């Protein structure tokens, strides 16, 4: 019997060990090797490049400052909230409100926090409009601090609250009887047992903030943090995966320190043999102070997220405040968005199923087995590592390791990524629960002739059901809100809501973003409610163990069987990459809405309706995927900035020679044909211009005038090709030396409003955050036509342009023959509609519509190549 028991638990251990060896250790090792990879043999080359890059160590310092200060603030706030719940005599309903409000932020994706801050505390934000003045500058340290505190508060509160539940309050009475004063009693009976947990909270909150990039992407401004540097290196306008691997390794340094600290802090945990039920001392002053303080924290959370419930129901924030349901209807009527939501729901359920099984199996190893201490320490080590490895690092490792395999762009890969990323907390929850159970159950069952596995299934699992439901809930919620890891591995058929929100950010579609965020919030609330009801029913229905024993076994059997069936479904459904026929042409595009509509219209009107899947990305994200995945990319057809296609072809030789004729006005390679020409222009908010009494700029050089200080938004060429149009105009008109001087002053005027996204300046101008920006001319023209108070100015230096082109991915025998037909259809049947938005003529026989033509169309004197972009990036960095 002993041998059978050992075999069963050893098999579980092997399965858990292999899972984390292949899906955690291997990707991190690959990243490590990537950081040293160099054709010249200089293994430290990329480390030297990163470490000597201007601003890198400043970004690291900023990360430590923002993350460290937010960790301290969060831990203090969480302690006050937990103390209010456990040590005051406030009404029970208020304590429930505090508990619910403290964990509310974890039900929303972190990328939404930044948008909520902008729409609450920005120049045109809800709070600003109500108070008549802006309370603080939301871009930079202040915005990050607020975002990080709200983001990490639920984790800190749950840690401290859970420990406080197990503090024996009878020692407070003993301390008072012995004559100790209130402060000393507080220190001995409350703070002392919490020391380990408070320190763990500081470590956890610091690390969560240190590795988050969703909040900096929205309100970071020029207060650059290391997570933004990693994103720019991996998915910037010129991705450098070797340097990105170096930054990832740097981000792992705090992980190692965190692991050591958390291991050390375990010795400070205090355990009580028995918890006494003692009523709190009556103290109205204490209750009043902590009640007011906790109420203020709850009010801040409500104020911050109120806009998420308001903006989607306003016709056009902040200019037309009439109530409408149009934005909500548009989302639910959009088949693509509803499909993405279904994907998220599927991924969340499957993650919860698979994650619960893995966490339960791992906890059985450490809490209910007789395996050696070394074996158990392996599982403990895995839990510590997954607790501190950034999701971005895991996602990038997955992207590099599984490119070209059957796992690429599948639901299975996303689910495994989530299971690995969030393993630590569910494992600890299960372990603590199993350790509290009677340790003699297995021995008794063995004497009665039952096997170890049968005992686990019939006795241990029914008693562990409440915790299993908690673990299921934890995995479900986190799978719904995560973005940091999955953004690197989601494909056209496996796109989830949070990655879609990141994509919508590039197109400044904040109504859709908030509606999708509400969908996530309500889904998580409903799910948690269902789990709570099930747990309550199970608890109420099992008061008499003897009477309900059979029922508990049936419940346990049903839960286990359901988990196994769903886990099997993961493999069947996930390996196929989700719904949709594999015969459909997958189109990847960085095109704007107008171009996407024109392309889809051309395909649908010419017999290709229902024969393709269209997936849009931000320019840098798509560029990163093309360079990283090459011919292994999921797409069959790509529409993308031409210079990116040139770079991807040069590096990966991944595109087919086009088989159709289409004569262009300028020479183009044989593997792509242009479909749009996008021009840059100055953007203005006419209302803000009047309010601030600002002169209307006529040239880009005018933007260097100090009169525009704090009122300008431009893009960063490191992460957006839109900025290249501005720099081309300056360099071509004034030469590099004078262009540097002008650009330096423009950056000084922009301050925190140098954006990563090409639509960032338009977003700032549209919302009234700034008066002037530089962006894409056609986007402003569309907003102007929609009645928004925005306009564009054609700069006298010229409206320089970038083309986007269509190319067919060469997949040899796996190439979809319809891809070449669709490419021809887009070029020959889509151009008429495309020219209504992008007027420049590109093909022989076309003419530019004079009514829509820019005033100063120009083309840069040198070919637009990756090398030229890199040179202009260096020029830009020297101006900051």
């Amino acid at each position: 019997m002993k041998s059978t028991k050992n075999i069963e638990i050893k098999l579980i251990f092997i399965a858990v060990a292999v899972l984390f060896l292949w899906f955690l250790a291997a990707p991190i090792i690959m990243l490590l090797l990537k950081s040293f990879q160099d054709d010249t043999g200089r293994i430290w080359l990329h480390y030297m490049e990163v470490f000597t890059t201007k601003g890198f160590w400043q970004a690291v310092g900023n990360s430590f400052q923002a993350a460290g200060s937010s960790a301290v603030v969060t831990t203090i706030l969480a302690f006050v909230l937990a103390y209010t719940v456990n040590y005051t005599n406030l009404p029970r309903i208020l304590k429930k409100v505090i508990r619910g409000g403290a964990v509310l932020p974890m039900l929303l994706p972190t990328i939404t926090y930044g948008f909520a801050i902008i729409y609450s505390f920005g120049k045109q934000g809800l709070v600003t409009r109500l108070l008549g003045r802006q309370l603080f500058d939301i871009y930079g340290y202040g915005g990050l601090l607020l975002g990080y505190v709200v983001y990490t508060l639920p984790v800190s509160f749950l840690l401290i609250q859970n420990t406080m539940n197990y503090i024996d309050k009878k020692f407070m009475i003993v301390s008072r009887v012995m004559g100790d004063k209130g402060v000393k009693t507080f220190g001995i009976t409350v703070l002392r047992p919490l020391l380990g947990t408070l320190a763990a909270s500081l470590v956890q909150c610091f690390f969560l903030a240190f590795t988050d990039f969703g909040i900096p992407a929205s309100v970071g401004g020029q207060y650059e943090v290391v997570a933004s540097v990693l994103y720019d290196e991996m998915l910037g306008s010129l991705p450098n995966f070797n340097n990105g691997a170096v930054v990832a390794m740097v981000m792992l340094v705090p992980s190692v320190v965190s692991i050591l600290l958390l291991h050390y802090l375990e010795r400070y945990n205090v355990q009580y043999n028995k918890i006494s039920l003692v009523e709190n001392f009556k103290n109205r002053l204490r209750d009043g102070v902590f009640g007011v303080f906790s109420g203020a924290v709850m009010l801040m959370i409500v104020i911050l997220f109120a806009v998420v419930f308001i903006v989607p129901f306003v016709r056009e924030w902040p200019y037309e405040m009439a109530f409408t349901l149009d934005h909500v209807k548009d989302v639910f009527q959009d088949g693509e968005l509803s499909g993405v939501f279904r994907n998220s729901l599927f991924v969340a359920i499957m993650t919860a199923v698979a994650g619960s099984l893995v966490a339960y199996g791992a906890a059985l190893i450490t809490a209910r087995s007789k395996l050696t201490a070394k074996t158990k320490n392996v599982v403990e080590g895995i839990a510590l590592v997954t607790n501190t490895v950034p999701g971005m690092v895991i996602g990038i490792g997955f992207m590099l390791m599984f490119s070209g395999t059957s796992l690429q762009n599948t639901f299975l890969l996303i689910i495994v990524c989530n299971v690995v990323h969030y393993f630590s907390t569910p494992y600890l929850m299960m372990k603590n629960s199993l350790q509290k159970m009677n340790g003699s159950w297995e021995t008794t069952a063995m004497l009665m002739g039952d096997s170890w596995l049968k005992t686990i299934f019939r006795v241990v699992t029914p008693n562990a059901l409440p915790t299993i439901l908690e673990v299921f809930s934890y995995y479900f919620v986190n799978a719904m809100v995560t973005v940091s890891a999955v953004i690197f591995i989601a494909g056209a058929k496996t796109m989830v809501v949070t990655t879609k929100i990141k994509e919508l950010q590039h197109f400044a579609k904040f109504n859709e973003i908030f509606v999708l965020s509400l969908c996530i919030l309500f889904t998580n609330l409903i799910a948690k409610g269902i789990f709570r009801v099930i747990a309550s029913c199970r608890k109420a229905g099992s008061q008499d163990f003897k009477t309900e024993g059979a029922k508990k076994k049936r419940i346990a059997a049903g839960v286990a069987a359901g988990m196994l069936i769903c886990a099997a479904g993961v493999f069947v459904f996930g390996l196929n990459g989700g719904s949709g026929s594999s015969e459909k042409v997958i189109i990847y595009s960085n095109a704007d809405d107008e171009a996407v509509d024109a392309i889809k219209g051309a395909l649908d009107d010419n017999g290709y309706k229902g024969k393709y899947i269209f997936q849009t990305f931000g320019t840098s994200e798509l560029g990163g995927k093309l360079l990283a995945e090459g011919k292994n990319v999921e797409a069959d057809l790509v529409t993308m900035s031409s210079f990116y296609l040139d770079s991807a072809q040069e590096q990966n030789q991944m595109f087919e020679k086009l088989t159709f004729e289409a004569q262009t006005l300028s020479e183009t390679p044989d593997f792509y044909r242009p479909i749009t020409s996008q021009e840059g222009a100055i953007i203005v908010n006419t209302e803000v211009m009047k309010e601030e009494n600002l002169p209307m700029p006529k040239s880009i050089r005018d933007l260097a005038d100090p009169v525009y200080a704090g009122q300008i938004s431009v893009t960063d060429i490191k992460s957006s090709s839109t900025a290249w149009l501005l720099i081309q105009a300056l360099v071509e008109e004034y030469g590099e030396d004078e262009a540097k001087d002008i650009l330096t002053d423009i950056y000084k005027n922009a301050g925190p409003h140098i954006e990563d996204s090409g639509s960032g300046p338009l977003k700032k101008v549209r919302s009234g955050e700034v008066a002037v920006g530089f962006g894409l001319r056609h986007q402003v023209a569309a907003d102007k036509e929609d009645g928004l108070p925005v306009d564009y100015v054609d700069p006298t230096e010229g409206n320089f342009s970038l083309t986007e082109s269509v190319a067919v991915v060469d997949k040899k025998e796996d190439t979809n023959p319809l891809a070449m037909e669709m490419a021809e259809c887009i070029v020959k049947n889509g151009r008429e509609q495309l020219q209504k938005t992008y007027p420049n003529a590109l093909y022989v026989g076309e003419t530019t519509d004079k009514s829509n033509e820019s005033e100063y169309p120009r083309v840069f004197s040198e070919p637009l190549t990756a090398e030229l972009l890199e040179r202009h990036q260096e020029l830009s960095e020297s101006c900051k």
Side-chain angles (χ1 to χ4, degrees):
M1 191 63 64
K2 182 178 179 180
S3 174
T4 303
K5 176 184 67 176
N6 286 336
I7 289 175
E8 292 163 341
I9 196 64
K10 284 178 180 178
L11 287 175
I12 294 175
F13 170 74
I14 291 171
V16 171
V18 169
L19 174 70
F20 287 96
L21 180 66
W22 189 244
F23 290 102
L24 180 64
I28 291 176
I29 291 172
M30 172 166 280
L31 269 176
L32 178 63
L33 296 175
K34 193 78 174 177
S35 70
F36 290 111
Q37 185 182 58
D38 184 67
D39 296 336
T40 65
R42 294 179 293 170
I43 62 174
W44 295 103
L45 175 65
H46 303 297
Y47 282 87
M48 295 303 297
E49 285 182 2
V50 171
F51 291 168
T52 57
T53 299
K54 180 183 177 182
F56 174 72
W57 291 112
Q58 180 66 47
V60 174
N62 289 345
S63 289
F64 274 95
Q65 181 186 31
S69 55
S70 67
V72 173
V73 173
T74 301
T75 301
I76 293 172
L77 294 180
F79 174 82
V80 171
L81 295 178
Y83 188 89
T84 304
V85 171
N86 289 275
Y87 287 92
T88 69
N89 294 312
L90 291 177
R92 183 174 298 178
I93 184 66
L94 293 182
K95 292 184 177 183
K96 284 187 176 181
V97 170
I98 292 172
R99 279 194 294 262
V103 299
L104 176 66
M106 73 183 301
L107 305 181
L108 284 164
T110 59
I111 196 168
T112 304
Y113 296 9
F115 307 140
I117 291 172
I118 293 172
Y119 277 79
S120 294
F121 300 101
K123 290 183 179 179
Q124 296 294 331
L126 176 63
V127 176
T128 304
R129 292 169 69 88
L130 291 174
L131 298 179
R133 60 183 296 271
Q134 189 172 12
L135 293 177
F136 63 97
D137 186 0
I138 63 173
Y139 299 104
Y141 177 76
L144 288 180
L145 181 62
L146 176 58
Y148 287 158
V149 167
V150 174
Y151 167 41
T152 56
L153 183 63
V155 174
S156 181
F157 173 78
L158 290 174
L159 277 172
I160 298 172
Q161 165 74 3
N162 182 62
T163 303
M164 278 190 177
N165 283 334
Y166 291 98
I167 293 179
D168 196 337
K169 294 181 181 180
K170 73 180 180 184
F171 291 102
M172 296 182 70
I173 299 175
V174 174
S175 178
R176 289 293 182 91
V177 170
M178 294 181 68
D180 293 336
K181 293 183 178 180
V183 174
K184 187 175 182 181
T185 298
F186 175 77
I188 294 173
T189 64
V190 179
L191 282 183
R192 174 63 185 85
L194 281 173
L195 280 179
T197 302
L198 292 175
S201 170
L202 286 169
V203 173
Q204 288 278 68
C205 293
F206 169 84
F207 193 76
L208 286 171
F210 186 84
T211 58
D212 177 68
F213 87 101
I215 297 169
S218 302
V219 295
Q222 285 305 289
Y223 190 87
E224 194 167 40
V225 293
V226 69
S228 328
V229 174
L230 175 60
Y231 187 81
D232 287 342
E233 289 289 357
M234 285 296 186
L235 294 178
S237 57
L238 275 179
N240 188 320
F241 301 113
N242 299 106
N243 286 2
V246 172
V247 179
M249 291 300 106
V250 171
M251 291 184 73
L252 285 179
V253 173
S255 300
V256 176
V257 176
S258 298
I259 291 170
L260 297 175
L261 276 174
L262 290 172
H263 183 70
Y264 175 78
L265 291 170
E266 286 183 358
R267 68 182 64 184
Y268 289 99
N269 291 334
V270 177
Q271 293 184 342
Y272 299 95
N273 294 324
K274 184 179 179 182
I275 307 299
S276 305
L277 295 176
V278 177
E279 291 186 5
N280 294 316
F281 295 117
K282 293 183 179 180
N283 188 324
R284 291 187 177 180
L285 177 62
R286 175 203 61 196
D287 294 350
V289 171
F290 278 90
V292 169
F293 194 94
S294 298
V297 176
M298 294 299 102
L299 181 62
M300 176 60 71
I301 293 174
V302 170
I303 289 174
L304 178 60
F305 291 113
V307 291
V308 180
F309 296 87
I310 296 174
V311 172
F313 302 99
V314 172
R315 191 167 300 281
E316 189 61 54
W317 181 280
Y319 306 109
E320 194 174 347
M321 304 296 286
F323 175 80
T324 182
L325 290 174
D326 291 346
H327 305 308
V328 178
K329 291 177 181 177
D330 290 344
V331 169
F332 284 100
Q333 290 173 358
D334 188 324
E336 182 181 343
L337 292 181
S338 58
V340 166
F341 182 76
R342 287 194 298 272
N343 287 349
S344 278
L345 204 57
F346 172 78
V347 167
I349 293 173
M350 294 298 100
T351 296
V353 171
S356 298
L357 288 171
V358 172
Y360 189 34
L364 287 173
I365 294 169
T366 55
R368 309 295 299 187
S369 79
K370 301 297 183 182
L371 294 181
T372 64
K374 288 185 178 179
T375 303
K376 294 182 179 182
N377 286 337
V378 171
V379 179
E380 293 288 337
I382 290 172
L384 281 172
V385 171
T386 55
N387 197 31
T388 55
V389 173
M392 290 180 72
V393 173
I394 296 176
I396 291 168
F398 273 42
M399 179 179 71
L400 295 176
M401 182 169 180
F402 297 107
S403 176
T405 70
S406 59
L407 288 174
Q408 182 184 1
N409 298 312
T410 63
F411 282 123
L412 178 58
L413 191 62
I414 295 176
I415 291 163
V416 172
C417 181
N418 287 337
V419 170
V420 170
H421 185 200
Y422 293 107
F423 170 75
S424 179
T425 299
Y427 160 74
L428 293 175
M429 291 164 64
M430 285 303 320
K431 175 188 169 186
N432 292 335
S433 175
L434 294 176
Q435 282 178 336
K436 293 173 185 176
M437 296 179 189
N438 193 322
S440 64
W441 283 345
E442 288 89 336
T443 304
T444 303
M446 183 181 68
L447 293 173
M448 296 178 66
D450 287 344
S451 66
W452 177 86
L453 191 61
K454 191 174 182 180
T455 305
I456 294 298
F457 186 72
R458 294 178 60 186
V459 181
V460 176
T461 301
N463 286 278
L465 275 178
T467 306
I468 292 174
L469 287 172
E470 288 182 31
V471 167
F472 192 96
S473 174
Y474 181 89
Y475 264 122
F476 181 93
V477 168
N478 281 284
M480 285 296 295
V481 302
T482 186
V483 63
S484 59
V486 299
I487 192 172
F488 296 95
I489 55 178
K493 290 186 271 189
T494 57
M495 189 69 62
V496 292
V497 172
T498 49
T499 55
K500 192 67 179 179
I501 288 175
K502 182 69 175 69
E503 174 194 330
L504 292 171
Q505 177 196 2
H506 286 280
F507 306 117
K509 293 186 174 181
F510 293 100
N511 291 317
E512 289 88 342
I513 286 173
F514 285 139
V515 171
L516 290 176
S517 297
L518 287 177
C519 289
I520 292 176
L521 174 62
F522 289 130
T523 300
N524 284 334
L525 286 173
I526 292 170
K528 288 183 75 68
I530 292 173
F531 301 144
R532 188 175 292 113
V533 168
I534 294 174
S536 299
C537 291
R538 185 264 172 197
K539 184 177 180 180
S542 60
Q543 297 297 323
D544 186 346
F545 183 89
K546 293 181 180 179
T547 311
E548 297 293 331
K551 182 177 180 180
K552 290 169 68 177
K553 292 174 185 177
R554 289 195 298 271
I555 293 173
V559 170
M563 286 184 171
L564 291 173
I565 292 171
C566 291
V570 171
F571 285 88
V572 175
F573 193 73
L575 281 171
N576 291 324
S579 60
S581 171
S582 59
E583 296 179 357
K584 290 184 178 181
V585 173
I586 297 177
I587 304 174
Y588 275 6
S589 176
N590 72 325
D592 300 314
D593 278 350
E594 298 85 0
V596 171
D597 290 342
I599 293 170
K600 288 182 176 180
L603 293 174
D604 292 349
D605 293 342
N606 288 276
Y608 297 106
K609 188 172 184 178
K611 296 181 180 180
Y612 62 88
I613 299 174
F614 204 103
Q615 180 59 54
T616 56
F617 295 86
T619 302
S620 57
E621 281 93 341
L622 181 52
K625 288 182 76 71
L626 294 179
L627 294 175
E629 299 176 359
K631 293 181 180 180
N632 296 320
V633 72
E634 180 188 27
D636 301 296
L637 188 66
V638 176
T639 76
M640 180 60 171
S641 299
S642 301
F643 73 91
Y644 258 125
L645 296 179
D646 288 323
S647 298
Q649 180 73 347
E650 182 181 353
Q651 178 174 312
N652 299 316
Q653 294 297 308
M654 60 182 292
F655 299 117
E656 280 193 20
K657 179 180 178 181
L658 298 180
T659 58
F660 58 87
E661 292 294 328
Q663 190 174 357
T664 55
L665 293 174
S666 58
E667 186 177 353
T668 58
D670 60 7
F671 61 89
Y672 70 67
R673 285 293 180 271
I675 55 174
T676 66
S677 174
Q678 306 194 42
E679 295 180 308
I682 297 171
I683 313 166
V684 297
N685 184 306
T686 53
E687 289 190 0
V688 177
M689 292 290 286
K690 292 176 182 177
E691 291 172 5
E692 301 294 333
N693 196 27
L694 294 172
M696 187 66 68
K698 296 180 180 179
S699 66
I700 298 174
R701 184 171 194 157
D702 289 345
L703 304 185
D705 191 329
V707 72
Y708 297 107
Q711 291 290 351
I712 289 178
S713 180
V714 294
T715 47
D716 191 341
I717 193 174
K718 285 195 305 181
S719 52
S720 171
S721 57
T722 302
W724 202 9
L725 299 173
L726 182 146
I727 293 177
Q728 285 180 43
L730 291 177
V731 172
E732 189 77 0
E733 183 71 14
Y734 305 109
E736 289 196 6
D737 291 338
E738 191 173 355
K740 283 184 181 180
D741 296 334
I742 298 171
L743 192 59
T744 299
D745 291 335
I746 291 176
Y747 285 162
K748 184 184 297 184
N749 283 343
H753 302 297
I754 302 177
E755 304 295 314
D756 289 334
S757 167
S759 63
L762 177 58
K763 173 186 69 179
K764 291 286 184 69
V765 171
R766 179 192 291 166
S767 64
E769 288 291 304
V770 297
V772 186
F774 185 91
L776 297 178
R777 188 176 187 271
H778 70 276
Q779 290 182 333
V780 197
D783 275 0
K784 181 181 179 181
E785 188 174 334
D786 289 341
L788 296 183
V790 297
D791 203 348
Y792 57 86
V793 176
D794 292 326
T796 56
E797 292 90 351
N799 299 93
F800 284 76
S801 61
L802 292 172
T803 62
E804 291 181 355
S805 300
V806 61
V808 177
V809 180
D810 182 7
K811 297 187 174 181
K812 302 303 180 185
E813 64 274 5
D814 293 327
T815 300
N816 193 321
L818 287 179
M820 189 67 70
E821 295 179 20
M822 290 186 185
E824 182 175 8
C825 177
I826 291 169
V827 170
K828 295 185 176 179
N829 300 304
R831 282 292 299 157
E832 182 179 353
Q833 182 64 31
L834 286 167
Q835 272 198 280
K836 293 179 181 178
T837 305
Y838 313 90
N840 291 349
L842 297 174
Y843 290 89
V844 173
E846 290 183 347
T847 57
T848 302
D849 181 7
K850 295 299 181 182
S851 63
N852 199 18
E853 183 181 15
S854 61
E855 193 169 351
Y856 309 106
R858 292 185 67 180
V859 178
F860 198 69
S861 56
E862 298 179 46
L864 302 183
T865 63
E867 290 74 18
L868 178 64
L869 176 58
E870 185 173 8
R871 196 174 87 204
H872 285 172
Q873 281 185 351
E874 292 172 358
L875 182 151
S876 173
E877 288 301 297
S878 69
C879 298
K880 292 180 181 177

